Amino acid sequence: MIDTSIDLCGVKMKNPITVASGTFGSGIEYSDFVDLNRLGAVTTKGVAITPWEGNATPRVAEVYGGMLNAIGLQNPGIDTFVNRDLPFLEKYDTKVIVNVCGHSEEEYVSCVEKLAECDNVDLLEINVSCPNVKEGGIAFGTDPKCLNNITKMIKAKAKQPAIMKLSPNVTDIAEMARAAVDGGADGLSLINTLTGMKIDINRRAFLLANKTGGMSGPAIHPIAVRMVYQVAQAVDVPILAMGGVTNAEDAIEFIMAGATAVAVGTANFANPNTTIEVIEGIEQFMEAQGIKSLDEIRGCVK
């Protein structure tokens, strides 16, 4: 007998697999292809207090080993999300992690306060890669003091456990992790996308209208594993790991590096069934290795 269940910030999940925000809609978009009941959790696309239009097109580009995106966190806003998407997810036996975004402390807090009224939200994932407009556009997640402050403000209003989603575009990921945990973060998720660029040499122009975009996919997986390991050594809170997961081996690497849960992201675009294949692959690995619980291998590399 094997037990794939995990405890993520006090929330029991049947298995450690969820999806990366922005790669799975809010579940509705993939429900015809994936049995959402089999997922440990569904992580929604980013939700803001008001609707965001997103960036100009083109805003997605395929590159070697993954993709670049500059969607700009387009979303319909919290009211539509609460009235349309959350009731849909209630039909499924899976946990719900809501990704929250904002351009100011007030926007984050307002969204968190709205979600505090929702009994069908299990966890919050706070996207601190958003630009802080009051500080000249610097991302919340690239300045330790800014990250610590926004974490404190969110924790003061949040009903659900708050997982701070760290940006990899920093010098010292462990420093950022400690800043978030010192601010009261219940958990951390990492990594978000790495900043990249693609030039169309025939058009002699940038491929993305935004010029730069977030790099995701298999090419970033080794970087993500390294950062997850560093953070696991630096702080003692649950980690939701993501970055280039395409199969069970990738997910197991993250768990051995210290992660509690794992999100599948870019792979969903090429193969909507990736999450199920990863879950089944983890079960097969545990059976073959005689592993009864994921606790036996979590953080086993030192």
Side-chain angles (χ1 to χ4, degrees):
M1 295 291 292
I2 62 171
D3 180 9
T4 61
S5 67
I6 57 124
D7 184 304
L8 182 62
C9 304
V11 175
K12 184 76 171 288
M13 291 167 50
K14 68 185 72 174
N15 62 62
I17 302 303
T18 183
V19 293
S21 176
T23 68
F24 207 75
S26 289
I28 299 173
E29 296 85 342
Y30 275 78
S31 58
D32 288 339
F33 309 100
V34 181
D35 181 0
L36 303 186
N37 293 302
R38 298 189 63 185
L39 301 182
V42 170
T43 302
T44 71
K45 59 188 173 184
V47 180
I49 192 65
T50 57
W52 289 10
E53 293 184 359
N55 293 326
T57 58
R59 52 189 188 179
V60 175
E62 186 174 359
V63 295
Y64 292 119
M67 64 178 283
L68 290 170
N69 94 82
I71 302 299
L73 295 168
Q74 178 179 337
N75 72 93
I78 188 67
D79 291 334
T80 297
F81 175 78
V82 168
N83 295 324
R84 182 192 66 189
D85 297 348
L86 282 182
F88 172 83
L89 289 172
E90 276 189 334
K91 299 185 295 184
Y92 296 92
D93 179 25
T94 186
K95 301 302 180 182
V96 176
I97 304 172
V98 178
N99 183 280
V100 177
C101 52
H103 286 140
S104 67
E105 289 91 346
E106 291 77 15
E107 287 186 15
Y108 276 104
V109 170
S110 295
C111 199
V112 166
E113 286 179 320
K114 286 260 189 180
L115 292 169
E117 302 170 3
C118 303
D119 294 331
N120 48 356
V121 173
D122 298 290
L123 293 154
L124 304 178
E125 181 185 56
I126 312 300
N127 181 3
V128 291
S129 293
C130 301
N132 184 347
V133 294
K134 290 186 177 180
E135 298 296 331
I138 184 174
F140 286 91
T142 58
D143 179 88
K145 291 182 180 179
C146 191
L147 175 58
N148 179 268
N149 184 60
I150 191 67
T151 304
K152 287 179 178 177
M153 295 182 71
I154 286 167
K155 282 297 296 176
K157 300 295 183 180
K159 175 183 176 182
Q160 302 88 349
I163 300 172
M164 306 304 289
K165 187 171 186 177
L166 302 183
S167 169
N169 301 305
V170 296
T171 302
D172 186 352
I173 193 69
E175 178 187 17
M176 305 309 299
R178 285 189 288 265
V181 172
D182 288 346
D186 298 290
L188 302 171
S189 69
L190 64 149
I191 62 174
N192 210 326
T193 55
L194 289 150
T195 304
M197 179 182 286
K198 175 68 175 175
I199 294 172
D200 184 330
I201 62 171
N202 294 308
R203 292 175 49 243
R204 303 184 186 185
F206 298 107
L207 207 58
L208 298 176
N210 196 59
K211 297 184 180 179
T212 62
M215 175 71 182
S216 63
I220 75 167
H221 182 67
I223 299 169
V225 172
R226 184 262 297 176
M227 288 192 170
V228 166
Y229 174 78
Q230 286 180 306
V231 168
Q233 299 303 303
V235 296
D236 187 24
V237 297
I239 296 171
L240 169 55
M242 63 202 69
V245 175
T246 60
N247 52 46
E249 180 177 337
D250 295 335
I252 293 165
E253 272 192 272
F254 273 140
I255 295 170
M256 288 186 174
T260 296
V262 177
V264 177
T266 302
N268 291 312
F269 297 128
N271 175 15
N273 202 48
T274 301
T275 47
I276 305 304
E277 293 174 1
V278 170
I279 291 168
E280 293 176 346
I282 291 173
E283 293 171 348
Q284 292 164 8
F285 177 81
M286 293 176 69
E287 289 175 354
Q289 296 280 328
I291 300 166
K292 294 182 179 180
S293 168
L294 290 172
D295 290 337
E296 296 178 29
I297 61 170
R298 182 171 298 109
C300 66
V301 294
K302 299 296 183 182

